[in-house]
Amino acid sequence: MFDKILFGVGAASGLYLVRNLYTMLMVLPDEAAQGMIYRIMFFHIPSWWTCFICFFIAGAASGYSIAKKNFRADSLAVAATEVGLAFTFVGLATGMIWAKIIWGIWWTWDARLTWAFITALTYAAYLMMRNMIPDPNERMRVSGALNVFSFASVVICYKAIDWWRTQHPGAVMSFRTGGGNIDPAMEGMTYQNLFAFLMLCLVLVTVRLRQEESLRTLEGMRRLAFTRQRIAVLG
Amino acid sequence: MDQRNFTYMFYGFAAAWLILALYVVSLVSRGRKLADQLETLKRTLSQEKG
């Protein structure tokens, strides 16, 4: 039953994304200054918000896993981080393609972009570090601490456009500016794509969480098989 | 400019979908491998027990 619900949410998110694609291409007009390229923002902004939400969940789950020695929370942290990283790459790629047209360059080392890059590297390091620590308790503690502290880079990345003058555009959404910087229809489209991304994200995190739990079972069984073999050899 | 604008918008959309599609494919493939490994290990353990 749960699998069917999961499949249903995944299919609904796919259909919603296709429906949004139709609206952004066929209904919404071109932006006055940027032309049609601005539509990339309907993927760029929601993908960053989705990854920030994922990293927040991962940080909270890591903190809980360390405090309570809870392996399931540790698995949730891994799942949310990995899915968040996928959305980070979507954000980076779409941003670079937009920049090539609007700025004439693929990349620049301004505060927002640099912190976005650091955020991606930090979370990739977290996932790599986990593979290097064989002991599950040690892995949960050390990588969990890194995950909690990594959230600082997300906060800096989010606030970079307020704290420094950057080449990256400032905030446009009305909840940050009080309105007037973006057309309501375009802002609505951004939220709709965010909703579709969050549905997809929920499905991906759940699937990845299950895999991580299976991996833990597999590790336990391997340890059991190894112990049995040793007993057989010694006895 | 308009043609270039359209081309790069297409690249942007394609990149977003492609990255997510690749991640889904990698998830499915890892899931299959995990299921195979679990099954093999279960069989090995039950044989050792027997």
Side-chain angles (χ1 to χ4, degrees):
Chain A
M1 183 62 188
F2 186 73
D3 282 353
K4 280 182 184 168
I5 294 172
L6 207 61
F7 182 78
V9 176
S13 74
L15 287 174
Y16 199 29
L17 279 169
V18 171
R19 176 255 176 208
N20 288 349
L21 206 57
Y22 173 81
T23 313
M24 63 181 85
L25 289 172
M26 307 304 282
V27 179
L28 290 175
D30 288 354
E31 208 261 344
Q34 298 185 16
M36 61 179 76
I37 195 78
Y38 87 97
R39 289 182 177 86
I40 285 184
M41 289 302 124
F42 296 137
F43 285 91
H44 180 70
I45 298 171
S47 65
W48 277 110
W49 285 351
T50 309
C51 81
F52 286 169
I53 291 168
C54 280
F55 293 150
F56 174 75
I57 293 168
S62 280
Y64 185 80
S65 72
I66 295 170
K68 302 280 179 189
K69 294 190 175 22
N70 187 313
F71 282 107
R72 200 168 164 77
D74 185 50
S75 300
L76 175 63
V78 181
T81 303
E82 201 181 284
V83 174
L85 200 59
F87 280 100
T88 305
F89 289 135
V90 172
L92 284 173
T94 49
M96 284 168 71
I97 293 165
W98 175 87
K100 180 63 184 160
I101 288 293
I102 301 297
W103 298 341
I105 45 170
W106 292 102
W107 186 266
T108 181
W109 294 103
D110 87 334
R112 169 55 83 80
L113 273 70
T114 305
W115 276 106
F117 187 62
I118 291 170
T119 304
L121 287 184
T122 314
Y123 283 102
Y126 162 80
L127 292 175
M128 281 191 271
M129 185 202 252
R130 289 186 65 86
N131 290 330
M132 294 174 199
I133 308 171
D135 178 54
N137 286 302
E138 190 75 5
R139 189 193 306 145
M140 181 171 69
R141 214 159 36 83
V142 177
S143 64
L146 175 66
N147 203 322
V148 171
F149 284 111
S150 295
F151 193 70
S153 72
V154 172
V155 176
I156 298 170
C157 182
Y158 181 74
K159 293 297 287 177
I161 49 172
D162 302 323
W163 290 343
W164 296 288
R165 283 186 62 175
T166 60
Q167 183 159 347
H168 188 282
V172 289
M173 306 307 279
S174 53
F175 76 90
R176 289 188 75 183
T177 61
N181 283 25
I182 186 171
D183 184 90
M186 294 172 183
E187 188 172 15
M189 188 73 250
T190 311
Y191 288 129
Q192 287 186 51
N193 242 19
L194 172 68
F195 185 64
F197 272 5
L198 287 177
M199 284 203 297
L200 180 64
C201 175
L202 179 73
V203 176
L204 295 177
V205 170
T206 310
V207 171
R208 186 64 188 84
L209 174 65
R210 281 178 170 186
Q211 286 185 1
E212 197 58 28
E213 290 288 290
S214 300
L215 202 64
R216 212 177 287 284
T217 311
L218 194 69
E219 274 183 2
M221 286 168 73
R222 275 191 185 138
R223 233 172 278 129
L224 180 68
F226 179 71
T227 314
R228 273 187 188 173
Q229 277 175 356
R230 280 190 72 182
I231 290 169
V233 169
L234 293 171
Chain B
M1 180 65 180
D2 265 0
Q3 182 54 43
R4 238 180 126 225
N5 230 332
F6 177 78
T7 310
Y8 276 76
M9 183 191 73
F10 173 77
Y11 290 159
F13 283 17
W17 283 82
L18 193 70
I19 291 167
L20 291 177
L22 283 176
Y23 182 64
V24 170
V25 169
S26 90
L27 262 187
V28 172
S29 123
R30 275 187 288 172
R32 279 193 190 143
K33 270 185 200 164
L34 253 177
D36 285 349
Q37 284 178 343
L38 262 175
E39 198 51 46
T40 312
L41 205 59
K42 269 182 194 165
R43 225 177 304 130
T44 312
L45 280 172
S46 63
Q47 276 172 4
E48 276 181 13
K49 216 176 179 180

